[in-house]
Amino acid sequence: MGRIRTILFVALLVLGPLVSLNREQPAPVSAALPTAQKRANALNHGMNLPWWFWFSGPAWDTIGTRYTRAELQGYYDAGIRGVRIPTDYYLMASSNGASSLNSTNIAKLDAAIQMCLDIGFNIIVNVHNAVPEWDGTDISDRIQSDTTFRATFVAFWENYADHLSQFSADRLVLEPLNEPIFTSNPTLWTNTIAPDLVDAIRDNAPNHTILLSGPEWS
């Protein structure tokens, strides 16, 4: 059985042109939705869950403790069906500049994901930009300017995607980088780094949908 190859592209400014490409051969109303679209629809209504595995504090002493099950259940009862869990590379990697995973923090993330799934949420897990005050440079800028780290980040996603592939492909979406910047060199993201990240994820989580956005803050 062939692998499901689904990439969900988020680029609000080009949705109109993308739709117009299909005007000559509109899909029948009864046609089944593409897998990526069904998974996107399942995230509605959605919300972000920061300060959990991203911006957990300078000492990282609150990682995994920001949201209680009761609080998350309250969001679900209010009608939220999709949650995004932003994660920080510096928390998920075993050390600064490593491609291997931090086993302690990954275990906390696993527990958080499972709790959200048990409540009924569908989930996006991403890598979010860090802040210079807490750990060096903005990660998007670092990926752009440091070729060694760029390769490390791709290798990190190989490991990250492989680990996260244990969770249902229908309920967990993978976002390699939130709001890529690359203002001075947008084609570097579009033509080189994004495809490398997609390949890294696809090789290790072949059935999961990838949420991929464009440069210059999406």
Side-chain angles (χ1 to χ4, degrees):
M1 181 178 179
R3 299 185 304 179
I4 300 172
R5 296 176 176 271
T6 56
I7 301 175
L8 177 61
F9 290 92
V10 175
L12 296 178
L13 294 179
V14 299
L15 281 179
L18 286 176
V19 171
S20 69
L21 294 177
N22 293 320
R23 285 178 180 169
E24 294 182 2
Q25 295 179 331
V29 173
S30 60
L33 287 173
T35 299
Q37 187 62 61
K38 289 190 291 185
R39 292 172 177 174
N41 292 349
L43 293 164
N44 188 35
H45 298 326
M47 66 179 290
N48 210 35
L49 296 176
W51 303 99
W52 205 8
F53 294 89
W54 170 73
F55 278 12
S56 295
W60 310 125
D61 55 358
T62 61
I63 181 172
T65 64
R66 168 60 183 85
Y67 299 95
T68 65
R69 186 183 182 104
E71 183 177 3
L72 293 171
Q73 185 67 53
Y75 295 142
Y76 187 87
D77 293 344
I80 298 297
R81 292 297 178 266
V83 292
R84 182 173 70 169
I85 303 177
T87 67
D88 195 312
Y89 162 80
Y90 299 107
L91 289 172
M92 297 296 105
S94 59
S95 62
N96 188 347
S99 60
S100 55
L101 304 181
N102 182 312
S103 58
T104 299
N105 290 344
I106 288 292
K108 293 179 181 180
L109 177 63
D110 289 347
I113 291 173
Q114 191 59 57
M115 179 169 62
C116 288
L117 291 173
D118 290 345
I119 290 170
F121 293 118
N122 298 296
I123 304 169
I124 299 169
V125 172
N126 77 357
V127 169
H128 231 69
N129 282 316
V131 291
E133 291 82 358
W134 288 358
D135 208 322
T137 60
D138 179 287
I139 193 168
S140 185
D141 289 343
R142 187 177 181 188
I143 295 167
Q144 176 177 332
S145 61
D146 184 341
T147 55
T148 298
F149 181 72
R150 187 183 309 163
T152 296
F153 188 70
V154 172
F156 164 81
W157 259 108
E158 291 176 352
N159 294 322
Y160 206 22
D162 180 63
H163 181 84
L164 294 173
S165 68
Q166 67 181 293
F167 298 104
S168 169
D170 284 327
R171 300 189 62 195
L172 184 73
V173 172
L174 303 176
E175 182 182 14
L177 186 64
N178 174 70
E179 296 187 358
I181 301 176
F182 298 88
T183 304
S184 63
N185 192 357
T187 58
L188 176 64
W189 170 258
T190 305
N191 298 339
T192 302
I193 300 174
D196 286 348
L197 287 167
V198 167
D199 288 344
I201 295 171
R202 185 61 66 232
D203 287 345
N204 292 280
N207 297 315
H208 282 67
T209 292
I210 299 171
L211 173 61
L212 185 67
S213 51
E216 300 184 80
W217 293 275
S218 302

